[in-house]
Amino acid sequence: MLQEESDLSLVIAQIVQKLKGSNLYAQLERQAWASLQRPEIKLESLKEDIKEFFKISGWEKKLQNAVYSELSVFPLPSHPAAPPEHLKEPLVYMRKAQGSWEKRILKSLNSMCTELSIPLARKRPVGEQKELLNKWNEMGTDEPDLSLFRPVYAPKDFLEVLINLRNPNYENGDSLSFRTHLGLIQVPLKVKDIPELKEFFVELGLTTGQLGIDDSTQVPPELFENEHVRIGQKVLAEQDSAAAQQYIRQGSPTALRAELWALILNISSQPEDILYYEQLKTNVIQHDLLVDSLIYKDVKLTASNDDYYFVFEDYLYQVLLCFSRDTSVLGHFAYNSASPPKSYIRGKLGLEEYAVFYPPNGVIPFHGFSMYVAPLCFLYHEPSKLYQIFREMYVRFFFRLHSISSHPSGIVSLCLLFETLLQTYLPQLFYHLREIGAQPLRISFKWMVRAFSGYLATDQLLLLWDRILGYNSLEILAARAYCQLL
Amino acid sequence: MSRPKNQNYKGHGLSKGKEREQRASIRFKTTLVNTLMDVLRHRPGWVEVKDEGDWDFYWCDVSWLRENFDHTYMDEHVRISHFRNHYELTRKNYMVKNLKRFRKQLEREAGKLEAAKCDFFPKTFEMPCEYHLFVEEFRKNPGITWIMKPVARSQGKGIFLFRRLKDIMDWRKGTAGKKLTSSEAQPARSAVNPPGGHDARSSEDQKDEIPVENYVAQRYIENPYLIGGRKFDLRVYVLVMSYIPLRAWLYRDGFARFSNTRFTLSSIDDQYVHLTNVAVQKTSPDYHPKKGCKWMIQRFRQYLASKHGPEAVETLFSDMDNIFIRSLQSVQKVIISDKHCFELYGYDILIDQDLKPWLLEVNASPSLTASSQEDYELKTCLLEDTLHVVDMEARLTGREKRVGGFDLMWNDGPVSREEGAPDLSGMGNFVTNTHLGCVNDRKKQLRQLFRSLQSQKKASS
């Protein structure tokens, strides 16, 4: 009991610490001061009256949402004396594997840099800055020569790394038994089985209504759809993050989705956020990064050629170029097993004072990266809001799809979950595919790494991402991949 | 018993017999290839005839129609894919004329409110005959943009934008000497006598020594709805089986065609921005063939619903239904309704920022070439379903409200989604039987339809 209490107070202290630096804190303070003018606030019961005021005016709700938002990425309970690396990734062999993968990526990037003799970053001449500013809303019309650039890596390269992951403490033995895992992933992580999945995803059971199924043309709307929409509107009116997250487990009505996601991710477009985005835009205008060319290349190769998303090409540049300069993204590396690559000012290699993170946000895009943004363009049209939503989706979910970790939502666990489901419940199919040399993970890996973006019709995809937000977990992707093979 | 009228005879004669008799095989003819040929060849029981053979079904092009229709005898069951004087609807100047006349009639009979429902066409003037009316309108609205379109050409050819009268002066000087090719010449309308014929303006045109290509000047819609900063228009397919009575079907699929470049009014000279025809886009330097620049209309409908909510989208789509029906009604009395004829129209619709749809034009021969795999699927399914509705195999009862992807939109009156007769009195519960941009589960529907037709037949025989 005592331990739980002290754990809880530790958590509270950490969250309070985090929120104290946020804009919400400043706003609450201002509101509290302003409320002193109000007649109902009396000196004798100052604390209670202000609390009451916050409750009525909706500020308490905002605070609740902020706390809830922090909790969603809060690391799993661990030993209080655990070093920070353990928060990133508790298993040593995983950390090592991630470290060497990162070295490889960086080597590839550096060699491309040297080959093409392009600096990692350079300041744009004034003429070029003006030109880019004019073209900001139509960067897609640019046709720079990108033939010499290659994506730093593609999902299949990453899969090879995962296949070779081994736990040095785990001895599989040479004899095959019914417990031997026949798939590609050979690390012993704990994944849910179907009864556990059923429990976890209880709202997706057959007896509960779902959007995407129970709102089809044959089903009269009175049965489920109308009521569900009504509840959704109510949730939005209450502005309650936690309720929205619970609600969206059954899918979101098309008209309410944009607002619901913003509520769950705790995004509200404040003037400061718009200003921040504008600042990032200025950074893009002033400096050109090598990473920009990689982004261009990726967009041209993937999203521009997509039947649905080619229309949003310009938005993708506006989001991704700013994203790569956003240092606030560095914060997520506290709970991401990956670490941001470091680069050194010319001539000062190894000297920590001259080290900078490169790219500024620490994320090196790979082939298909822009597809994380593309479906969001369906919902958000204002660039700064689109940007905020994407950034939050990335630091909550997407980063787990391309870093090596033991987290249940990490890509390694998802692969293992997929293979285990297949081997346990469709063993004949699994065995047959193996025999003909088509390991099923090789087919489904790219779906999961991209969170199915580009592989599902947009309406289906958005319903899937509804569930990611609703359950705060990416396990649905493995389940979806398994269902695809059914 | 063939009845040749002259050497160009393409009719046929076989056993007379009731129109709804089942035929052992159906002989088809077409000059088009690509999707249509694929569909016709794969249809069970259909055989192709070449050159001088007799045919039961002809998907012809309009030039053949112009030259041969009047000399061709067709048995009762024979079907041909155009109406004799379809240009009343599809040529921009005639369409405007018919629409204006219809609007006036509506105003007389039903009042201003009803007539206002015909205001889906931007202000248009025929050139050169309505030049003075145009100048009057032009002067009333200084600074707005106008678009000049040739009456008879397609694929975006010959179109330009202007803001100053000076630009037209130059054009007049430039084109006055142009001669028309035979395919672009106005059909001799006096040879076909439609009831309620037009005024003598056509003969006035013929008086000109040098025939001038006819143009229309139209108010350019300066606030189009943009997606991703790009302008687009919608292509919708409407199948008309007869004009008297008016029976029209609306296809659930269609697509939005995007301009490759970003929309801005400052680049009037850039033809590529403003014209969204795929044909024009194909020549733009930015064009990448893989893209196709098209969205299926379902995607478009979903996008709008997530941005504006389902009610606004319902309103927009029912406004579009209004466009289809009114435009067909306006030429109903003018088109020669021949029971052999049917026609698949391609409607071009532009949406503006207030979510109001505008009719750009109607095409009698919408392109059937596929620009991508998705496009190929759309067009082959469209054509298959067209043939199902035409029903050469005499399988349908004639009471169907849906065949594959086609929904019966107008059957001498509005068609209700609900079963039973429509309740026209109240306006309350009436929902039209149109599903543009909705789910198109045509395969399933066709299976169910033909299965039930078969069992009905078995039961009655």
Side-chain angles (χ1 to χ4, degrees), chain A residues 381-421:
Chain A
H381 315 99
E382 211 271 302
S384 71
K385 187 137 194 211
L386 174 63
Y387 177 76
Q388 280 184 279
I389 297 274
F390 166 66
R391 181 179 59 185
E392 191 60 28
M393 290 287 280
Y394 183 82
V395 301
R396 270 203 211 191
F397 304 112
F398 295 147
F399 75 90
R400 299 203 193 274
L401 296 172
H402 49 267
S403 51
I404 305 176
S405 86
S406 58
H407 195 273
S409 272
I411 188 70
V412 185
S413 304
L414 297 185
C415 291
L416 192 57
L417 176 58
F418 166 74
E419 289 192 317
T420 313
L421 283 175

Side-chain angles (χ1 to χ4, degrees), chain B residues 395 448-460:
Chain B
R395 287 183 287 188
Q448 286 171 343
L449 176 66
F450 288 127
R451 206 175 289 158
S452 80
L453 285 172
Q454 247 185 343
S455 53
Q456 273 176 44
K457 213 174 206 117
K458 283 209 186 96
S460 61

Side-chain angles (χ1 to χ4, degrees), chain A residues 131-201:
Chain A
E131 207 190 306
L132 185 58
L133 190 59
N134 281 339
K135 266 226 227 89
W136 182 255
N137 288 324
E138 38 179 69
M139 282 185 276
T141 52
D142 240 345
E143 291 286 321
D145 179 18
L146 299 166
S147 49
L148 296 170
F149 290 97
R150 313 174 299 272
V152 180
Y153 66 95
K156 63 177 174 3
D157 306 315
F158 188 51
L159 178 58
E160 292 304 318
V161 174
L162 297 186
I163 291 172
N164 291 317
L165 267 182
R166 292 290 180 277
N167 181 353
N169 292 335
Y170 183 70
E171 182 52 56
N172 217 352
D174 287 326
S175 55
L176 293 174
S177 73
F178 71 89
R179 253 179 293 162
T180 313
H181 186 71
L182 295 172
L184 293 173
I185 305 291
Q186 292 293 325
V187 284
L189 293 174
K190 172 97 178 65
V191 290
K192 295 186 171 80
D193 57 11
I194 285 203
E196 284 169 326
L197 286 172
K198 271 197 185 158
E199 208 187 302
F200 185 67
F201 291 116

Side-chain angles (χ1 to χ4, degrees), chain A residues 426-444:
Chain A
L426 287 179
Q428 284 174 317
L429 175 63
F430 191 77
Y431 194 68
H432 170 73
L433 286 173
R434 248 182 56 120
E435 288 298 290
I436 63 173
Q439 274 275 7
L441 184 60
R442 287 197 191 276
I443 307 170
S444 65

Side-chain angles (χ1 to χ4, degrees), chain A residues 137-141 143 217-218 254-258 300 304-315 317 377-379 381 457-459, chain B residues 227-230 258 260-264 286 288 290-296 299-300 302-303 305-310 372 374 439 441 444:
Chain A
N137 288 324
E138 38 179 69
M139 282 185 276
T141 52
E143 291 286 321
T217 39
Q218 285 87 10
T254 320
L256 304 179
R257 182 174 280 122
K300 290 278 182 214
S304 299
N305 276 330
D306 188 288
D307 281 335
Y308 304 151
Y309 301 124
F310 68 87
V311 177
F312 302 121
E313 191 184 342
D314 297 330
Y315 292 145
Y317 298 121
C377 298
F378 241 72
L379 302 172
H381 315 99
T458 316
D459 55 333
Chain B
I227 296 183
R230 291 168 214 234
F258 286 90
N260 215 22
T261 42
R262 317 304 179 257
F263 180 79
T264 156
D286 289 343
H288 294 288
K290 268 193 253 177
K291 265 192 259 183
C293 315
K294 284 183 191 174
W295 259 11
M296 296 293 278
R299 185 83 33 262
F300 168 71
Q302 268 166 20
Y303 177 87
S306 64
K307 201 170 172 196
H308 300 278
S372 70
E374 202 181 41
V439 166
D441 53 344
K444 185 163 147 204

Side-chain angles (χ1 to χ4, degrees), chain B residues 276-291:
Chain B
T276 52
N277 267 324
V278 178
V280 174
Q281 292 304 317
K282 280 196 170 126
T283 56
S284 153
D286 289 343
Y287 182 71
H288 294 288
K290 268 193 253 177
K291 265 192 259 183

Side-chain angles (χ1 to χ4, degrees), chain A residues 42-221:
Chain A
K42 305 216 174 14
L43 195 56
E44 312 86 65
S45 51
L46 191 63
K47 204 170 177 184
E48 268 55 39
D49 289 344
I50 295 188
K51 269 201 213 164
E52 189 60 32
F53 166 68
F54 275 169
K55 201 177 273 177
I56 298 173
S57 57
W59 282 99
E60 190 191 46
K61 201 31 92 49
K62 290 206 177 91
L63 181 60
Q64 254 177 358
N65 290 345
V67 172
Y68 199 67
S69 177
E70 291 299 324
L71 280 174
S72 64
V73 287
F74 215 72
L76 307 165
S78 56
H79 194 278
E85 305 94 73
H86 284 225
L87 287 177
K88 285 160 74 75
E89 171 49 53
L91 299 179
V92 174
Y93 74 91
M94 290 270 182
R95 285 208 300 269
K96 285 211 172 103
Q98 174 66 25
S100 50
W101 169 238
E102 278 169 21
K103 277 207 186 74
R104 267 178 67 185
I105 299 176
L106 215 52
K107 202 164 161 204
S108 169
L109 188 63
N110 277 326
S111 66
M112 200 194 317
C113 201
T114 338
E115 254 176 67
L116 304 173
S117 344
I118 296 177
L120 286 177
R122 74 178 170 95
K123 192 168 169 77
R124 286 189 223 267
V126 173
E128 195 184 317
Q129 288 187 26
K130 263 208 194 93
E131 207 190 306
L132 185 58
L133 190 59
N134 281 339
K135 266 226 227 89
W136 182 255
N137 288 324
E138 38 179 69
M139 282 185 276
T141 52
D142 240 345
E143 291 286 321
D145 179 18
L146 299 166
S147 49
L148 296 170
F149 290 97
R150 313 174 299 272
V152 180
Y153 66 95
K156 63 177 174 3
D157 306 315
F158 188 51
L159 178 58
E160 292 304 318
V161 174
L162 297 186
I163 291 172
N164 291 317
L165 267 182
R166 292 290 180 277
N167 181 353
N169 292 335
Y170 183 70
E171 182 52 56
N172 217 352
D174 287 326
S175 55
L176 293 174
S177 73
F178 71 89
R179 253 179 293 162
T180 313
H181 186 71
L182 295 172
L184 293 173
I185 305 291
Q186 292 293 325
V187 284
L189 293 174
K190 172 97 178 65
V191 290
K192 295 186 171 80
D193 57 11
I194 285 203
E196 284 169 326
L197 286 172
K198 271 197 185 158
E199 208 187 302
F200 185 67
F201 291 116
V202 66
E203 292 85 354
L204 297 182
L206 285 170
T207 48
T208 322
Q210 303 292 334
L211 281 185
I213 302 171
D214 299 305
D215 59 337
S216 69
T217 39
Q218 285 87 10
V219 181

